[in-house]
Amino acid sequence: MEVITNERPKVGVLGGGSWATAIVKMLSNNLDEVHWWMRSESAVAHLKQFGHNQKYITSIAFNMEQVKVTTDMQAVVDASDYLVIAIPSAFLDKTMKDLQPQGMEDKVIFSAIKGIITEYDSIPARYIHKEFRTPYDHIGIIAGPCHAEEVASEKLSYLTLACPDLDIAATMADTLQCRYIKTSISEDVFGTEISAVLKNVYALAAGICHGLGYGDNFQSVLIANAIQEIKRFVDAVHEVHRDVKSSAYLGDLLVTAYSPYSRNRTFGTMIGKGYSVKGTMMEMNMVAEGYYAARGIHVMNKTFQVDIPIAEAVYRILYERVAPAIEMRLLADRLS
């Protein structure tokens, strides 16, 4: 469903990585000003001088009269009605504890994090609600399927904006949509967010299998079983009517599991080829959210006791150091 509204809010983006950079590009198509917080002083200085992020998606050129970039997070919070948080989940809590921004409870906050908050094994929506006292009806999720690299090259992409208040979801959808971005809205914040966390774990599994030499036939069975695991888990956590075959669930899973841009698939491929977790992290020099998500989902599932053998296999490979070849051979007997 395409959304058209007339009012557009003042928007700030928190984060300096590839997804934050892509979101600022999307917002720049529709807003006279976009407020942008980055931690790195050198990155901010480079942006102000040259108009592009020196480390991530360097091909995107920004109009620096339009994009107001700063290392002062409070200034971005104060200048914005809506905030988009695109800080990697592994660093979010420490960043917020260090900077302690004020007034977050009065903002509409959209999470573009797609990971588990490791300190609490919590999804971002719950963390935002508890940490900032933001009401749930003012918390939204930006879901794919959408890769930052394809946004940079303006390839047609799709986003789902989920929020309990559909008017807020529609406003954010309208603010992001443009010639190469189509948007839809949903009320299913918890389902889309948990699905976004789980799909990174399954992309790791797909990468591990690829690294081990499994072919397309097995990969298709793996992902067919993965979407069933997603449905079982999100239904157990938050049982509402949802169609997991839609793009926010299945589409996001497919692009993350198969795309060469997927850092989670790349991470898994290296693990399958015999790299250690530490070695893979050093080689990639980027955050693969699925690594932290595998542990977070494992901990959450102690409460819900859902049958998710693929996710548990990834957890054992990454955290219990079970050999990938052995774990995937055992998993193959459980798939159908």
Side-chain angles (χ1 to χ4, degrees), residues 11-13 23-36 66-69 80:
V11 182
V13 177
I23 290 170
V24 173
K25 173 182 170 67
M26 288 184 265
L27 292 169
S28 297
N29 288 296
N30 294 319
L31 299 177
D32 294 331
E33 284 189 349
V34 181
H35 301 274
W36 189 4
Q66 178 189 27
V67 175
K68 311 299 183 183
V69 64
S80 305

Side-chain angles (χ1 to χ4, degrees), residues 111 113 115 117 122-131 134-136 139-141 189-190 193:
S111 167
I113 299 167
I117 311 304
S122 170
I123 60 174
R126 287 188 174 134
Y127 173 85
I128 290 167
H129 174 68
K130 291 181 179 180
E131 184 69 18
T134 307
Y136 273 121
I139 298 173
I141 306 299
V189 172
F190 290 117
E193 186 159 56

Side-chain angles (χ1 to χ4, degrees), residues 93 97 116-123 127 131 295 299:
D93 187 59
K97 292 288 196 301
I116 287 285
I117 311 304
T118 55
E119 291 84 354
Y120 306 100
D121 296 312
S122 170
I123 60 174
Y127 173 85
E131 184 69 18
R295 181 189 176 277
V299 172

Side-chain angles (χ1 to χ4, degrees), residues 23-325:
I23 290 170
V24 173
K25 173 182 170 67
M26 288 184 265
L27 292 169
S28 297
N29 288 296
N30 294 319
L31 299 177
D32 294 331
E33 284 189 349
V34 181
H35 301 274
W36 189 4
W37 172 85
M38 303 175 75
R39 176 182 284 277
S40 169
E41 292 183 0
S42 63
V44 168
H46 187 93
L47 255 167
K48 288 181 176 179
Q49 183 174 0
F50 299 107
H52 65 84
N53 191 333
Q54 65 179 344
K55 189 173 181 181
Y56 299 101
I57 318 291
T58 57
S59 61
I60 298 178
F62 294 103
N63 175 357
M64 296 315 298
E65 293 183 0
Q66 178 189 27
V67 175
K68 311 299 183 183
V69 64
T70 178
T71 58
D72 184 349
M73 182 182 286
Q74 190 63 55
V76 173
V77 173
D78 291 343
S80 305
D81 304 314
Y82 283 36
L83 291 167
V84 178
I85 300 179
I87 301 168
S89 62
F91 310 129
L92 179 64
D93 187 59
K94 184 179 188 307
T95 298
M96 292 304 178
K97 292 288 196 301
D98 287 347
L99 300 180
Q100 298 185 356
Q102 302 300 305
M104 300 286 279
E105 68 275 12
D106 299 323
K107 308 297 178 179
V108 171
I109 300 179
F110 273 83
S111 167
I113 299 167
K114 302 181 181 180
I116 287 285
I117 311 304
T118 55
E119 291 84 354
Y120 306 100
D121 296 312
S122 170
I123 60 174
R126 287 188 174 134
Y127 173 85
I128 290 167
H129 174 68
K130 291 181 179 180
E131 184 69 18
F132 305 133
R133 302 186 305 280
T134 307
Y136 273 121
D137 62 358
H138 280 189
I139 298 173
I141 306 299
I142 300 177
C146 190
H147 277 305
E149 292 81 0
E150 292 198 350
V151 172
S153 57
E154 299 188 358
K155 293 185 177 180
L156 184 61
S157 303
Y158 292 74
L159 292 175
T160 298
L161 290 303
C163 182
D165 187 327
L166 286 179
D167 289 337
I168 288 175
T171 298
M172 194 65 188
D174 178 59
T175 306
L176 286 166
Q177 68 183 2
C178 59
R179 173 177 54 82
Y180 54 89
I181 300 293
K182 293 188 179 296
T183 59
S184 60
I185 63 173
S186 169
E187 295 176 292
D188 186 19
V189 172
F190 290 117
T192 54
E193 186 159 56
I194 292 170
S195 180
V197 170
L198 278 166
K199 56 94 175 178
N200 289 329
V201 179
Y202 298 123
L204 284 174
I208 291 169
C209 293
H210 177 68
L212 288 168
Y214 285 82
D216 292 343
N217 294 339
F218 179 78
Q219 292 268 4
S220 66
V221 173
L222 180 78
I223 299 306
N225 280 262
I227 193 62
Q228 295 176 53
E229 289 193 16
I230 287 176
K231 177 171 174 52
R232 288 197 295 270
F233 197 85
V234 297
D235 284 352
V237 174
H238 185 58
E239 188 174 4
V240 298
H241 175 72
R242 60 174 64 88
D243 181 6
V244 297
K245 299 186 295 298
S246 64
S247 60
Y249 310 92
L250 179 57
D252 208 9
L253 170 64
L254 291 174
V255 74
T256 310
Y258 291 132
S259 174
Y261 293 126
S262 170
R263 66 189 66 177
N264 289 286
R265 179 183 169 88
T266 300
F267 190 103
T269 297
M270 294 177 70
I271 296 295
K273 287 183 175 180
Y275 284 76
S276 67
V277 168
K278 184 176 180 179
T280 300
M281 288 181 169
M282 291 178 64
E283 184 77 17
M284 287 184 63
N285 196 31
M286 294 179 77
V287 175
E289 294 282 12
Y291 172 72
Y292 304 102
R295 181 189 176 277
I297 292 296
H298 173 77
V299 172
M300 287 178 66
N301 202 36
K302 290 180 179 179
T303 299
F304 296 104
Q305 296 292 305
V306 180
D307 183 29
I308 47 172
I310 301 173
E312 290 296 343
V314 172
Y315 170 80
R316 286 191 289 270
I317 290 169
L318 297 181
Y319 289 92
E320 297 181 356
R321 299 185 179 180
V322 177

